[in-house]
Amino acid sequence: MSVVIRLARAGTKKRPVYHVVVADSRFPRDGRFIERLGYFNPLLPKDNETRLKLDMDKVKSWLAKGAQPSDRVSRFLDAAGVKKREARNNPQKAVPRKERKAQAEAAAKA
């Protein structure tokens, strides 16, 4: 059984609130979960302390048991200093589209 720490969407239409939950990876995003660890409200300003609330003791215990955080949750844990997030390598990110690349080459030749 693969256990993940991820976000489950709650709230109403166009007003999302997310619960940080521990769930089996086979369960649906908003479906069954094992334990709720906190919440995340993206509509609040970034400097508001109630934007994200996590029970760090529970998070640390689940990480010790082998639970894998999702990308967004790993960002939260990195900001809190609990778990270091490894840098991702995306070499295609800086490559421009073909048209812009051709224009840049034409401008360089002229």
Side-chain angles (χ1 to χ4, degrees):
M1 178 169 87
S2 176
V3 179
V4 293
I5 302 173
R6 65 180 175 204
L7 298 176
R9 187 180 162 127
T12 60
K13 185 169 83 171
K14 306 215 182 210
R15 310 263 323 153
V17 175
Y18 295 93
H19 298 290
V20 181
V21 297
V22 177
D24 188 333
S25 64
R26 298 171 291 186
F27 294 159
R29 179 193 70 180
D30 301 336
R32 201 165 104 194
F33 60 90
I34 300 168
E35 186 175 11
R36 185 174 290 148
L37 303 178
Y39 63 86
F40 170 61
N41 188 351
L43 299 178
L44 293 176
K46 292 188 179 185
D47 58 351
N48 193 335
E49 64 272 356
T50 60
R51 179 179 164 101
L52 174 68
K53 169 133 177 34
L54 288 173
D55 187 350
M56 289 300 173
D57 295 333
K58 289 182 181 180
V59 170
K60 289 177 185 175
S61 68
W62 278 106
L63 289 174
K65 293 175 187 175
Q68 295 296 315
S70 67
D71 187 46
R72 178 57 56 183
V73 174
S74 64
R75 286 175 185 259
F76 296 152
L77 298 179
D78 186 30
V82 175
K83 183 177 179 184
K84 184 72 176 147
R85 184 174 68 101
E86 69 277 353
R88 292 190 158 199
N89 184 14
N90 187 0
Q92 299 297 322
K93 183 177 180 181
V95 176
R97 290 184 26 200
K98 289 181 182 178
E99 297 85 20
R100 286 182 279 176
K101 189 174 183 182
Q103 289 175 357
E105 290 174 356
K109 288 181 182 179

